[in-house]
Amino acid sequence: GFEWYGRAPAHEGLTAYGLVQFNDMKAVYDGVSANVIERTKKYLLKRRDNKGGFKQNVGKYGFSGNKPALFNAYITWALTEVQTRGIDLEVETMTKEAIKSEDLYRMSLAALSHYNIANEASLAKAELLTKTIQKMIKKVGVKNAKSESTLTYSYGNSMNIETLSFAT
C-alpha cells in the first residue's frame, strides 16, 4: 500500500487513490507496471474486515479524519475500477450505507461500482441509483449539490465539483 511519506503502515484511502491513478495512467503511458497494480489490489483485498468494509489505519496526515464509510465506498469503487471480482459483500454493504446516508458522493461511488460490475443485477441497481442521484441534484440545483465529505477533503466549490464529477 501507499502512505504519505513512505512509512508503514500504509493508508488504505491513499492506496485506493493510487490504484485508480496507476490504472488510468496505463492508457497513456506503457511504463506502468502491472505488478504495481496487482500488488496494490492484493493489499486492499487483504484489508477487508469480513463485514463488508475495510480495516483502516489512522493516518498521520491529511485524509485520516474522514469517516470509515467514505473510505469503504472509495476503496470498493477503486477495486471495481480495476475489475476486481469477489467483492460482492463490500459492494452491497457500501451501497446500502450510501443509500441510507443520502450522501451524493457515496451514492455516486456506489452507482459507478455497479456500472463497473456490469452484470444484469448490478446495472439495474446502477440505474436506480443514477435516477435517485439525478432527483437529488434537481431538488437542490447543481450549484448546491454537496456531500458530507470527499476523499480529498474538498470544501466549497471544490467539493461541489468533485462530487458532481462522480455523479456525472
Side-chain angles (χ1 to χ4, degrees):
F2 301 108
E3 198 277 331
W4 306 111
Y5 296 100
R7 294 189 176 99
H11 188 280
E12 292 76 14
L14 181 63
T15 300
Y17 185 84
L19 178 63
V20 172
Q21 296 303 309
F22 282 118
N23 190 59
D24 287 350
M25 274 190 264
K26 288 188 320 185
V28 295
Y29 176 63
D30 62 2
V32 174
S33 169
N35 290 335
V36 169
I37 293 171
E38 193 58 31
R39 209 171 40 238
T40 303
K41 182 170 98 171
K42 284 181 181 178
Y43 170 79
L44 289 171
L45 289 171
K46 286 181 185 177
R47 299 299 297 160
R48 290 188 286 186
D49 64 9
N50 297 317
K51 299 175 192 168
F54 297 86
K55 298 172 194 164
Q56 298 173 28
N57 289 308
V58 177
K60 187 174 180 183
Y61 305 99
F63 303 135
S64 63
N66 267 338
K67 294 184 175 187
L70 173 65
F71 283 119
N72 285 336
Y74 194 90
I75 294 165
T76 301
W77 166 74
L79 287 168
T80 68
E81 280 286 296
V82 296
Q83 304 304 306
T84 305
R85 299 293 178 233
I87 58 171
D88 300 335
L89 177 61
E90 289 76 17
V91 172
E92 287 309 310
T93 302
M94 176 259 287
T95 301
K96 287 177 185 173
E97 189 287 323
I99 291 168
K100 184 178 177 184
S101 73
E102 297 184 347
D103 182 82
L104 187 57
Y105 190 85
R106 295 195 309 264
M107 288 179 69
S108 298
L109 291 171
L112 291 169
S113 295
H114 284 285
Y115 280 119
N116 287 338
I117 294 168
N119 64 35
E120 191 174 328
S122 279
L123 290 173
K125 284 182 184 179
E127 288 296 323
L128 285 172
L129 283 163
T130 300
K131 288 177 184 175
T132 302
I133 290 164
Q134 289 170 338
K135 287 177 188 174
M136 290 171 67
I137 294 171
K138 195 177 241 184
K139 182 179 177 182
V140 299
V142 171
K143 289 185 179 182
N144 295 314
K146 292 189 173 102
S147 59
E148 186 178 315
S149 186
T150 68
L151 184 79
T152 60
Y153 278 121
S154 298
Y155 60 91
N157 193 44
S158 295
M159 176 188 273
N160 179 268
I161 291 168
E162 188 175 347
T163 300
L164 288 171
S165 294
F166 279 115
T168 55

